[in-house]
Amino acid sequence: MFKIIEKRALADNIYLLRIEAPRVAQSALPGQFVIVRVDEQGERVPLTIADYDKTDGTVTIVIQTIGVSTRKLCVLNEGDYIADFAGPLGNPSEFIHLSKEELESRRYLFVAGGVGTAPVYPQVKWLHEHGGHADVIIGAKTASMLIYTEEMEKVADNLYIATDDGSYGFKGMVTAKIKDLIDNEGKQYDECVAIGPMIMMKFVAQTAQSYGIKCTVSLNSLMVDGTGMCGACRVSIGGETKFTCVDGPEFDASLVDFDLAMKRQAMYNTVEGKKQMEAEEEAEGHICHVGGIADEVRDKKHRIPVREQDPKVRAKNFNEVCLGYNAEEAILEAQRCLNCKNPQCVKGCPVNVHIPEFIKYVAEGNFMEAAKVINRDSALPAVCGRVCPQEKQCEGNCVM
């Protein structure tokens, strides 16, 4: 049993737990993860290490409540115990193998998105303690969702905040901030490390590569059992099949097939998708050794709210009130829509846009193909998106 020494709420539905686990803490390195099981009947939950202290024998994890298992973890309090806390697992970050001279000569840029900020922290902290240099960009939808800013400021050379709605720091995506640092502030980097939503890492990787900067990404969100036995975290790296939990979780972003990874991630959000993944794995000769896919699903009853300007702010400008979804929100909402067994939305569309096909591409993060679907039937999609009374038409017919 492993005792919870500290519990803190970092943001809405995001919690920090500091666990007494001396053996794990003694061996832990940046980039590695642990497998947590709340009780004897609990699921195995892989979580990247957010900090560790070899002296007091504690390991810190950060959890976002999504399903049953994470909710069970987050209702525990200081003094309670967790049944299993196994690790450290996975390969540590590559830079720990560099010499002191190599570390001091290289400049890193870390890009953290949402909960991905937590596993970035021990990497930046390690570099700081070993003479390395790292700038950090933390991205979030809005200021209230930022985490680890104070901790990161103590170990980063420079900390930059980017929020989608401009409520704190730079207004815009993290990719725009990368361009701003390089183009307008003359920053130069030898390597970029991105950890966060899959779609964010994909576009950070593309941005870094456009400047000739090596980019490393962590695919920890794909992991399930953490030992390579279930096959759920298979990814294509340079055309070869790798297992995130055994061969990663960090990979050279230029070799990652992000579209395939996002497709698998989207499939895994429904029971039907999970079963399809199992069937594909069996067809390829992979044998699941952990008892099959559990039937825990993401909450599909509640729509992800669309962000809008605050009334006090919009009263003083002429900008659009509706801010719409960012990429991550669009993908999550599209995945929820794919649960629909009897789509009625097309019947409500005056121009008969094939909405399910559009949603499918959005769920995969393939926004260009999604746009092509709309363009087949609508000559003015930008105008229609603003003036169409969708709440009475396609959404009016929606059964979700």
Side-chain angles (χ1 to χ4, degrees), residues 228-370:
M229 292 191 295
C230 72
C233 68
R234 291 179 308 157
V235 287
S236 178
I237 307 296
E240 297 183 16
T241 297
K242 300 287 186 181
F243 292 86
T244 300
C245 58
V246 176
D247 301 307
E250 296 182 355
F251 296 97
D252 183 338
S254 66
L255 303 177
V256 176
D257 187 334
F258 282 103
D259 292 336
L260 180 59
M262 286 189 291
K263 181 180 178 182
R264 290 181 63 80
Q265 192 176 46
M267 290 170 63
Y268 199 72
N269 283 321
T270 66
V271 173
E272 293 81 1
K274 294 175 184 181
K275 299 303 182 184
Q276 183 178 340
M277 285 171 59
E278 280 189 335
E280 289 179 0
E281 288 159 4
E282 289 176 4
E284 293 178 13
H286 179 83
I287 301 173
C288 178
H289 298 281
V290 294
I293 299 296
D295 286 357
E296 179 183 343
V297 299
R298 192 185 297 270
D299 182 2
K300 58 187 179 183
K301 294 182 179 179
H302 298 97
R303 178 179 180 177
I304 294 175
V306 180
R307 289 172 295 116
E308 295 181 343
Q309 280 198 72
D310 183 273
K312 294 180 180 178
V313 176
R314 70 192 189 213
K316 300 177 182 179
N317 64 52
F318 293 95
N319 298 329
E320 292 191 55
V321 173
C322 180
L323 301 175
Y325 287 142
N326 61 24
E328 179 187 1
E329 291 167 335
I331 290 173
L332 289 174
E333 178 61 15
Q335 291 168 358
R336 188 183 71 88
C337 288
L338 290 178
N339 290 308
C340 183
K341 300 293 187 291
N342 185 25
Q344 300 293 312
C345 46
V346 178
K347 296 179 181 178
C349 179
V351 293
N352 294 311
V353 171
H354 200 280
I355 298 170
E357 184 183 3
F358 164 78
I359 293 294
K360 169 182 171 293
Y361 284 122
V362 172
E364 295 173 1
N366 194 340
F367 301 118
M368 186 60 69
E369 289 301 318

Side-chain angles (χ1 to χ4, degrees), residues 9 44 95 100 125 216 232 239 263 288 295 316 361 380 388:
R44 298 158 60 93
F95 56 69
K100 181 177 176 60
K125 180 182 177 182
T216 299
K263 181 180 178 182
C288 178
D295 286 357
K316 300 177 182 179
Y361 284 122
L380 300 168
C388 176

